[in-house]
Amino acid sequence: MTDTQQRVAMGYIKGVFGIKGWVKVSASTEYSDSLLDYPEWLLSKDGNTLTVSVEAGKVAGDELQVKFEGIDDRDRAFALRGYTIEIPREAFAPAEEGEYYWADLVGMSVVNRDGIVFGQVKNLLETGANDVLVVEGAYGQKLIPFVSQYVGEVDHDSRTINVDWGLDY
């Protein structure tokens, strides 16, 4: 079993579809069908974890509909409602040069050019124009646009993001 620190939540099962075991999925990925790139999912809820294999999947409107192997009726599918979908981090494809998985950025320390540690990345926001780092620490919450104008080096080894951002911004 994969350590929970190495699993990334990618959405949840929000309901059932039809009578043959299909579920409706709310994906927290850029493209909902990208979850179908992973043949096995870990489902977790209330301390329980199940491993399921994706048999089939399709996008219908703005939702993802998925059929798991061995889940063949509405009742068994309904029992999965509310489970969080997790994917082992090691299953992710390598990020392209200059691109990052949000899951890798969360928890990193953010330091400006003057050596002031703002805190840690708690989340990222998608604004449409660009992503924004949500940083919390001793100086409160800072919202820093994740663009090259403000973000310098992202050092995976030291888990640090260097930014050109002032305390008074």
Side-chain angles (χ1 to χ4, degrees):
M1 184 56 60
T2 306
D3 179 67
T4 56
Q5 293 299 319
Q6 298 302 315
R7 300 188 313 209
V8 179
M10 304 284 275
Y12 67 94
I13 298 175
K14 64 181 184 176
V16 296
F17 174 75
I19 61 170
K20 297 186 178 181
W22 286 73
V23 295
K24 295 179 188 178
V25 170
S26 175
S28 56
T29 55
E30 185 173 4
Y31 304 104
S32 56
D33 65 345
S34 63
L35 266 175
L36 299 176
D37 293 345
Y38 306 98
E40 281 195 348
W41 297 358
L42 299 169
L43 303 180
S44 66
K45 179 179 173 184
D46 301 329
N48 298 318
T49 301
L50 309 168
T51 301
V52 294
S53 296
V54 175
E55 182 177 308
K58 61 186 176 185
V59 175
D62 63 347
E63 76 182 9
L64 182 63
Q65 298 171 351
V66 177
K67 168 80 173 66
F68 299 121
E69 290 178 13
I71 306 292
D72 298 319
D73 63 56
R74 186 176 180 89
D75 292 339
R76 293 195 63 205
F78 186 81
L80 299 176
R81 203 181 71 164
Y83 272 79
T84 299
I85 300 160
E86 298 176 332
I87 303 297
R89 174 59 186 93
E90 62 267 16
F92 290 15
E96 297 291 322
E97 181 71 31
E99 293 186 354
Y100 307 94
Y101 285 110
W102 281 15
D104 292 341
L105 299 174
V106 172
M108 284 190 166
S109 292
V110 177
V111 180
N112 76 359
R113 289 183 178 189
D114 296 325
I116 297 170
V117 178
F118 288 124
Q120 292 185 322
V121 176
K122 294 297 179 191
N123 194 8
L124 284 97
L125 302 174
E126 188 175 357
T127 66
N130 53 264
D131 297 332
V132 175
L133 296 170
V134 178
V135 181
E136 293 181 6
Y139 301 101
Q141 186 180 75
K142 299 285 184 189
L143 301 177
I144 304 172
F146 194 72
V147 295
S148 61
Q149 179 180 355
Y150 302 116
V151 176
E153 182 185 10
V154 176
D155 187 333
H156 287 284
D157 294 333
S158 69
R159 306 264 314 135
T160 302
I161 300 172
N162 293 304
V163 296
D164 184 7
W165 200 255
L167 269 180
D168 55 346
Y169 292 5

